[in-house]
Amino acid sequence: DGGITQSPKYLFRKEGQNVTLSCEQNLNHDAMYWYRQDPGQGLRLIYYSQIVNDFQKGDIAEGYSVSREKKESFPLTVTSAQKNPTAFYLCASRSGGHQPQHFGDGTRLSIL
Amino acid sequence: AQRVTQPEKLLSVFKGAPVELKCNYSYSGSPELFWYVQYSRQRLQLLLRHISRESIKGFTADLNKGETSFHLKKPFAQEEDSAMYYCAPQGYGGSQGNLIFGKGTKLSVKP
């Protein structure tokens, strides 16, 4: 089930390095989301975008940046300012209204 | 403040036993309520939503507006139900359209 594609599946970051996680969707959804999933913490919202060229901070945006230049793409950059980046990152999208979110397979980021 | 409480981090039952995963929420307005499930090595996916009033894989969830609860129930648990379950209310439009996730309950069904 294509829908939302996240890449890579695994990613390693060196100290002081920025890394970018890819998220692409072919569902023609307007809204896209990035979550961070840590054991025992559930899912926490990093950034979201309701329309192209617009995005808002979620609950834990510090140390992250995003862009939304195309409807189908919502890349997340984990910057060197994020001191605890090791986590599982999930991207999601939805069409609108009360429609549910659809999730990608996730990217696991680790520190070298 | 909007929040979701799933009081059990881990729920362990034997196959064939009834199971109830609790969810209490605090949310202004009238949210739609969802249960999402994450099986091992699979992506997070929608299990059911209140507005559909469906039974999915034998699970049902009843919305109690007075108690602001949306507990997930299944009368006879199966081993394949073992997974992580998240309760999530969602508003309508703008930032209200964001899901508020609970911390999740890990369900383990033993043979």
Side-chain angles (χ1 to χ4, degrees), chain A residues 29-74:
Chain A
H29 286 169
D30 287 315
M32 296 187 74
Y33 306 81
W34 274 106
Y35 295 91
R36 173 179 170 140
Q37 188 177 28
D38 296 281
Q41 293 290 326
L43 277 74
R44 293 181 289 171
L45 183 65
I46 304 172
Y47 268 97
Y48 64 100
S49 168
Q50 295 172 8
I51 197 167
V52 176
N53 293 322
D54 187 43
F55 49 82
Q56 286 79 39
K57 293 180 179 180
D59 300 318
I60 54 165
E62 186 175 351
Y64 299 97
S65 66
V66 293
S67 63
R68 186 85 188 275
E69 297 176 1
K70 298 186 294 183
K71 188 175 185 178
E72 59 270 23
S73 179
F74 191 41

Side-chain angles (χ1 to χ4, degrees), chain A residues 37 48 50 98 101 103 105, chain B residues 36 38 43 49 86 94-95:
Chain A
Q37 188 177 28
Y48 64 100
Q50 295 172 8
H98 270 309
Q101 293 186 16
F103 287 82
D105 284 329
Chain B
Y36 283 82
Q38 192 171 28
R43 63 178 61 184
R49 56 189 298 188
Y86 294 97
S95 63

Side-chain angles (χ1 to χ4, degrees), chain B residues 40-73:
Chain B
S40 179
R41 303 178 194 280
Q42 294 187 26
R43 63 178 61 184
L44 190 65
Q45 57 188 282
L46 177 68
L47 177 62
L48 57 78
R49 56 189 298 188
H50 166 251
I51 197 169
S52 301
R53 300 186 186 276
E54 294 173 308
S55 173
I56 306 293
K57 298 185 179 183
F59 284 97
T60 58
D62 293 323
L63 176 62
N64 185 321
K65 290 187 177 180
E67 294 181 359
T68 58
S69 67
F70 190 54
H71 303 327
L72 184 69
K73 300 177 184 179

Side-chain angles (χ1 to χ4, degrees), chain B residues 71-92:
Chain B
H71 303 327
L72 184 69
K73 300 177 184 179
K74 184 169 183 176
F76 308 103
Q78 303 299 315
E79 289 180 69
E80 54 266 31
D81 296 328
S82 295
M84 196 74 184
Y85 291 81
Y86 294 97
C87 177
Q90 176 178 294
Y92 184 90

Side-chain angles (χ1 to χ4, degrees), chain A residues 73-91:
Chain A
S73 179
F74 191 41
L76 173 74
T77 296
V78 183
T79 74
S80 57
Q82 172 50 244
K83 298 307 177 189
N84 184 25
T86 298
F88 192 55
Y89 291 86
L90 287 170
C91 178

